[in-house]
Amino acid sequence: MGEKVGFVTMGEVKGERGEIPKIGVGMLGYAFMGKAHTNAYKKYPYIFWPPAAIPRLVAICGRNEKAVEEARIRYGYEKAYRDWQEMLNDPKVQIFDNSGPNSLHCEPSVAALNMGKHVFCEKPLAGTVEEARAMWEAAQKSSAKSMVCFNYRFLPALRLARDFIAEGKLGEIYHFRAQYLQEWIMDPNFPMVWRLDKDVAGSGALGDLGSHIIDLARFLVGDIATVSALTRTFIKERPSLEDPTRKVPVTVDDAFVAVVEFSCGAIGTLEASRFCAGRKNHQVIEINGSRGSIRFNLERLNELEVHLVGEEPKVFQGFHQVMVTESYHPFYEHWWPHGHIIGWEHTFIHAISHFLDAVVNNKEIAPYGATFEDGYRCAVICDTIVRSSLSGKKEELRY
Ligand code: SOE
């Protein structure tokens, strides 16, 4: 585990144990996900009290010296690095949090795992299947823990849905249908950011949004056996970031649709797009089984709509809305009295609590957390969707 980075003495506080260990975090990246993960490391210990460990913000790393120094001060990291290998060599770094762009997921994470450092890596696992496989192989060889931040697995409503399904409350699953719709790049003058560059992102809406609903399909229903899919790029060139007067080609998909067959016999539809005017972060999932259905909407994330067959038909027609905010609902005991709802940021706190508990108490990441194998299987499904879109045929999954 590297150099001990200190303890909080619990002497003055009644607790089952004398001390709570601190654990050193080295963060790669300081933009959207670096901010969301740092927010979670800082809130985790006092929300999940007593925590498995208290994260110590040892270091943050980024290429731009001015930007990473500002992030160090803003977020409260002790040191700033511009070279990720140098940061990994810091003995105080025990957890490597990879919140960098997709093209930077593989090499640093494999290096960290080979050094025995635990890795928490943003989704998608990598920009290519080959890199995702290399990360999975490194995880298998390493004694350290590794987890992919598919944070929507840690929504109370979707954890409840998974438990419902696992307990057979929906019966045999017939359908899984998911959409993940946004609108943020419909303007042709929106520049070529990294999420639109295949060399950095690997794919567009497919890997960015599609990976979430593909992972949730596997988490809630099970593995996918075949896909028949289409991808589209609606705007083919955009202003370059460096020189807005120059147009550069868009090399990723703007949207995809897929029809899938699950290994368990269920069938499904998956759709992700960044060209849906009016849709902000619109992820909706509906699952239909022999004994009932559930429906979830990320923009109303504290609620789960449920219909159970055979309930009092005079009263329970259609779906009824469950507020997933009772103390007995997943994660909610750590938060507020019922009805006082939580938000998107809290999924990262739940995910990090799961990861740190696994690291400190040597617990399994699966089934609730996404392993690097889950990340690799998701990458293969994304790759098969592209293959089907090119072949025009139904393609079987080959892991
Ligand atoms: C942008 O599409 C994005 O930030 C994704 O990258 C995240 O994974 C998703 O949670 C919200 O939208």
Side-chain angles (χ1 to χ4, degrees):
M1 283 269 279
E3 176 187 339
K4 281 206 180 306
V5 286
F7 287 86
V8 166
T9 305
M10 294 281 289
E12 67 280 6
V13 175
K14 279 192 180 52
E16 296 82 60
R17 48 191 164 178
E19 295 178 321
I20 296 181
K22 288 188 178 180
I23 194 159
V25 177
M27 169 71 70
L28 174 60
Y30 44 74
F32 184 3
M33 287 301 134
K35 176 178 168 185
H37 289 207
T38 301
N39 176 62
Y41 288 118
K42 297 179 93 159
K43 290 183 175 166
Y44 157 67
Y46 61 77
I47 295 294
F48 281 71
W49 183 264
I54 293 181
R56 179 175 159 183
L57 303 183
V58 168
I60 188 165
C61 181
R63 271 173 305 190
N64 180 309
E65 186 168 11
K66 186 172 172 297
V68 74
E69 176 55 19
E70 182 179 341
R72 185 192 70 74
I73 295 162
R74 175 183 180 183
Y75 297 148
Y77 284 89
E78 294 167 21
K79 291 176 77 172
Y81 287 93
R82 292 183 58 206
D83 176 294
W84 56 261
Q85 185 62 70
E86 209 182 316
M87 180 174 77
L88 290 180
N89 293 339
D90 185 331
K92 291 192 182 68
V93 171
Q94 298 164 286
I95 301 272
F96 174 53
D97 183 305
N98 196 332
S99 288
N102 302 349
S103 55
L104 254 183
H105 285 183
C106 183
E107 194 185 358
S109 298
V110 168
L113 287 166
N114 292 343
M115 295 166 75
K117 303 213 175 194
H118 309 286
V119 177
F120 185 65
C121 183
E122 251 304 317
K123 45 57 61 181
L125 184 60
T128 66
V129 175
E130 295 73 22
E131 288 187 334
R133 185 172 188 100
M135 294 172 79
W136 174 38
E137 287 169 351
Q140 287 175 297
K141 290 185 200 119
S142 175
S143 59
K145 300 287 182 183
S146 49
M147 180 169 150
V148 192
C149 184
F150 278 116
N151 57 305
Y152 297 126
R153 289 180 174 222
F154 291 90
L155 282 153
L158 289 186
R159 174 68 74 83
L160 180 66
R162 186 185 190 280
D163 293 346
F164 249 28
I165 292 167
E167 291 155 15
K169 292 210 175 99
L170 291 191
E172 179 191 355
I173 303 300
Y174 299 133
H175 294 281
F176 175 91
R177 99 179 39 81
Q179 297 173 330
Y180 201 162
L181 312 177
Q182 294 178 349
E183 62 175 7
W184 56 286
I185 55 168
M186 290 177 65
D187 179 350
N189 296 315
F190 187 95
M192 262 301 281
V193 294
W194 72 260
R195 278 187 168 86
L196 306 181
D197 178 351
K198 184 176 175 59
D199 293 338
V200 181
S203 63
L206 176 58
D208 187 34
L209 302 177
S211 64
H212 277 298
I213 53 178
I214 289 166
D215 178 67
L216 289 172
R218 296 189 63 250
F219 180 59
L220 294 164
V221 176
D223 250 318
I224 289 173
T226 71
V227 298
S228 306
L230 287 174
T231 63
R232 276 292 177 280
T233 302
F234 298 113
I235 295 178
K236 308 248 188 269
E237 54 177 24
R238 291 180 179 274
S240 129
L241 262 181
E242 293 71 35
D243 169 9
T245 63
R246 189 166 58 85
K247 293 265 186 172
V248 288
V250 173
T251 49
V252 296
D253 58 282
D254 290 328
F256 86 96
V257 290
V259 174
V260 301
E261 291 173 301
F262 290 84
S263 308
C264 69
I267 56 175
T269 54
L270 302 172
E271 185 181 0
S273 175
R274 292 163 164 163
F275 275 71
C276 299
R279 294 300 187 192
K280 308 306 176 182
N281 197 27
H282 186 77
Q283 182 199 104
V284 290
I285 290 172
E286 181 165 323
I287 299 174
N288 311 118
S290 57
R291 297 177 61 190
S293 297
I294 60 106
R295 182 168 176 81
F296 170 77
N297 177 351
L298 179 59
E299 292 171 347
R300 300 172 65 103
L301 65 82
N302 291 276
E303 303 165 23
L304 187 69
E305 291 177 70
V306 181
H307 171 80
L308 295 179
V309 173
E311 283 190 334
E312 176 43 65
K314 292 192 187 72
V315 176
F316 285 113
Q317 277 306 325
F319 287 79
H320 50 277
Q321 173 221 22
V322 176
M323 278 296 283
V324 190
T325 62
E326 300 296 338
S327 58
Y328 51 73
H329 281 141
F331 308 107
Y332 216 80
E333 63 186 294
H334 298 284
W335 293 103
W336 324 117
H338 53 198
H340 287 60
I341 67 173
I342 59 172
W344 176 81
E345 70 180 277
H346 302 102
T347 62
F348 293 90
I349 301 169
H350 301 162
I352 278 170
S353 76
H354 181 83
F355 180 60
L356 293 182
D357 186 26
V359 165
V360 174
N361 298 310
N362 193 23
K363 291 180 181 174
E364 289 304 311
I365 296 289
Y368 291 121
T371 63
F372 274 25
E373 179 174 5
D374 291 315
Y376 166 66
R377 285 178 174 259
C378 182
V380 174
I381 295 167
C382 288
D383 205 53
T384 309
I385 283 171
V386 172
R387 195 164 81 235
S388 172
S389 176
L390 294 172
S391 72
K393 296 193 181 90
K394 176 161 85 168
E395 298 285 352
E396 293 201 0
L397 266 295
R398 296 191 297 268
Y399 292 112

